[in-house]
Amino acid sequence: MVSACQTSRYGKVVCGEIYKKDGSRLSVAQRDRLRMPSGHGQVVVTTDIYAKNHEKTKISYDSVDSVHVWHPASPDEVWTMVPVPGYGWCMRYVDNPYIQVLCYSSRGYGLFASGRMTNYYTQRIVSKTKVRFLIARAGQPVRNIGKVKGYGDRSWREHLCSYVADDPGLCQRIMQSKRRKYEILQLLSDYKPQQTLK
């Protein structure tokens, strides 16, 4: 995961699969493309994007459960976008059966040909782009755990451990890590609540 200044629309038009709340699914590949949504925006699908008279279809934010996206050059690097109340479209960064880490960027997201995901931001003195990591657990409100950039200092690591306190081994690894936040958060892919251990 990287961050990029939003000076172009590069990486915003990709392939994907749209999973709707009614159980239906729409595949967008071959000559079709979708524009990666942001905010509370619609998912815009372009049919036969290379044709002169291509058609666009708009799918409402409220009707979508999730969107799996990938760059045409890296079909094996699939990312999942989900709508999150109070924020809008977020990118799933860590997916674990018991906990998820989501990334929220108010300026949206893009995918490089290498398959890497980027959060777009703008360079302005007055207004700042909001890019945050969120923690999501079933049956609990989504929690904002702060900015993406920087290293995880001790207080941040302690705060993170409060969400996975029922896995002491993982907490120990988190507290001992001196890496950047996005690297430490990857440790949550190993999270197993103590009551599930045998």
Side-chain angles (χ1 to χ4, degrees):
M1 186 184 69
V2 296
S3 295
C5 183
Q6 191 176 26
T7 56
S8 70
R9 307 301 287 180
Y10 178 79
K12 301 279 284 184
V13 179
V14 298
C15 297
E17 287 191 333
I18 302 166
Y19 294 82
K20 302 182 73 174
K21 292 179 179 177
D22 63 7
S24 63
R25 182 179 71 177
L26 174 63
S27 294
V28 183
Q30 303 299 323
R31 294 174 62 87
D32 302 339
R33 295 289 185 272
L34 67 86
R35 181 171 294 279
M36 294 179 71
S38 62
H40 292 82
Q42 301 169 315
V43 181
V44 180
V45 177
T46 302
T47 303
D48 200 356
I49 195 168
Y50 303 109
K52 184 177 180 179
N53 297 317
H54 55 252
E55 298 182 356
K56 291 185 178 182
T57 302
K58 296 181 179 180
I59 302 172
S60 69
Y61 169 88
D62 293 329
S63 68
V64 179
D65 177 74
S66 62
V67 182
H68 294 187
V69 294
W70 61 89
H71 192 284
S74 302
D76 295 329
E77 297 291 333
V78 181
W79 293 82
T80 300
M81 304 186 71
V82 293
V84 177
Y87 291 92
W89 287 106
C90 293
M91 190 73 76
R92 189 177 291 159
Y93 184 60
V94 173
D95 190 12
N96 175 285
Y98 310 104
I99 198 167
Q100 294 182 356
V101 179
L102 306 172
C103 184
Y104 166 73
S105 174
S106 60
R107 288 287 173 180
Y109 318 87
L111 294 178
F112 291 106
S114 64
R116 290 187 305 169
M117 183 267 286
T118 180
N119 302 295
Y120 287 115
Y121 67 90
T122 53
Q123 293 179 322
R124 293 176 182 167
I125 297 175
V126 178
S127 62
K128 295 182 179 180
T129 301
K130 292 182 179 180
V131 181
R132 299 286 185 270
F133 274 124
L134 312 174
I135 293 286
R137 297 186 67 169
Q140 298 182 15
V142 172
R143 304 293 186 181
N144 182 341
I145 58 169
K147 298 178 181 179
V148 170
K149 291 185 177 181
Y151 287 85
D153 61 20
R154 183 175 181 82
S155 63
W156 184 86
R157 285 179 277 131
E158 287 176 345
H159 182 61
L160 180 60
C161 277
S162 70
Y163 297 106
V164 293
D166 49 0
D167 187 342
L170 178 60
C171 280
Q172 184 177 13
R173 292 168 61 195
I174 290 171
M175 292 306 300
Q176 291 175 346
S177 179
K178 305 298 182 183
R179 298 186 175 187
R180 292 184 178 275
K181 292 178 181 178
Y182 69 86
E183 294 174 303
I184 295 174
L185 284 166
Q186 290 174 352
L187 296 175
L188 269 63
S189 61
D190 298 329
Y191 171 58
K192 292 182 180 179
Q194 197 169 44
Q195 61 267 26
T196 68
L197 300 178
K198 296 182 180 179

